[in-house]
Amino acid sequence: MKKSLFLITMMLVLPLMFGCATSGDLQKVQAEQKMIDAKADQALKDAQAARTAADAANVKAAETSGRAESAIKAAEEREKAAAEKERIADEKAKKADDAFHKSMKK
């Protein structure tokens, strides 16, 4: 009888010692979960905004790169045209110089 009374007492006392979750504890856990969810949602929004900004920056960089390549090609073409004009001017100067020397010999 003593043993059975002791067992029943222990069955009633042990849960009280370890405690049970109360409705206040559950509300606290739910509030923490909501806060974590809100932070996760905000982090996701921030990540999406950062990705959008990075994509826009990549597009601008590609456009700028294209313009730079066009500018380089145009500069190379102008350089070639200037070199050709210089060559022609040198030839004309040489012909004029030859003609001058030829007229001076006479």
Side-chain angles (χ1 to χ4, degrees):
M1 178 83 172
K2 281 187 176 185
K3 284 186 179 184
S4 63
L5 184 59
F6 179 73
L7 287 175
I8 293 173
T9 305
M10 289 307 286
M11 288 175 30
L12 293 174
V13 171
L14 281 178
L16 293 176
M17 288 175 51
F18 293 111
C20 296
T22 64
S23 60
D25 293 337
L26 292 176
Q27 288 175 351
K28 183 179 177 183
V29 170
Q30 288 174 344
E32 289 175 0
Q33 184 63 38
K34 286 180 182 178
M35 187 177 294
I36 290 170
D37 289 343
K39 287 180 181 179
D41 288 343
Q42 185 62 41
L44 179 62
K45 288 177 184 177
D46 291 346
Q48 288 173 341
R51 183 179 187 132
T52 301
D55 289 344
N58 283 338
V59 168
K60 286 184 180 180
E63 290 173 357
T64 302
S65 176
R67 287 193 304 263
E69 288 175 6
S70 297
I72 289 170
K73 287 179 183 178
E76 288 172 349
E77 290 174 8
R78 286 191 301 267
E79 183 181 6
K80 286 178 185 178
E84 182 65 20
K85 287 180 181 180
E86 182 182 8
R87 184 187 63 79
I88 292 170
D90 286 343
E91 288 176 2
K92 285 182 180 180
K94 185 177 179 190
K95 284 181 184 179
D97 192 38
D98 288 344
F100 175 73
H101 285 301
K102 196 175 196 181
S103 70
M104 290 300 284
K105 286 184 182 179
K106 290 183 181 180

